[in-house]
Amino acid sequence: MISRITGTLVARGIDRIEVMTAGGIGYTVQIPLGVLEGLPRPNERVDLFTALVVKEDGWQLFGFATESDRALFHTLRSEEHTSELQSQSTISYAVFC
C-alpha cells in the first residue's frame, strides 16, 4: 500500500496531479477539489496522504491533504455501491461546506 507521497509537483489538473518523487518515479494522483485549492505551484514540494485502489481494470492512487480525509474516503468506499469517484466527490463537497 502506498500511504503517503512526497515529491515535486510536476503537473496539475482539475481532478489529478503528477508528482515526481526523489527516486525519479512519477505518480498520477487523483485528488478531491479541496486538495487542489491547497496545492503549491508546479516545481514545488508536495506531500499528500494516499489511498491505493487496486481493481481488475487498473490501479488508482487517490491523494488527500489530511489523514482524516483519507479515513473518510475508506469509510465511504466500504459502503455498498459507493465507487471511489463518488467517495472522492463527497469529500470535495464536504470541504467546501
Side-chain angles (χ1 to χ4, degrees):
M1 178 172 189
I2 300 171
S3 64
R4 194 166 190 159
I5 189 165
T6 300
T8 303
L9 180 63
V10 177
R12 58 190 279 175
I14 296 290
D15 64 347
R16 69 192 71 223
I17 61 172
E18 185 178 337
V19 178
M20 181 66 69
T21 64
I25 299 174
Y27 292 89
T28 299
V29 183
Q30 302 256 141
I31 56 168
L33 287 175
V35 171
L36 180 66
E37 296 279 320
L39 286 175
R41 294 181 178 149
N43 297 318
E44 291 184 0
R45 184 175 182 265
V46 65
D47 185 23
L48 296 172
F49 295 94
T50 59
L52 178 63
V53 176
V54 179
K55 298 192 317 187
E56 290 178 13
D57 60 346
W59 294 21
Q60 287 182 294
L61 190 60
F62 293 86
F64 306 95
T66 66
E67 285 183 272
S68 59
D69 284 349
R70 180 178 59 188
L72 177 59
F73 175 81
H74 284 300
T75 299
L76 292 169
R77 277 198 61 238
S78 68
E79 294 296 318
E80 195 172 332
H81 305 297
T82 303
S83 73
E84 293 80 24
L85 296 178
Q86 288 170 321
S87 299
Q88 188 178 22
S89 294
T90 301
I91 292 168
S92 292
Y93 178 77
V95 169
F96 287 112
C97 290

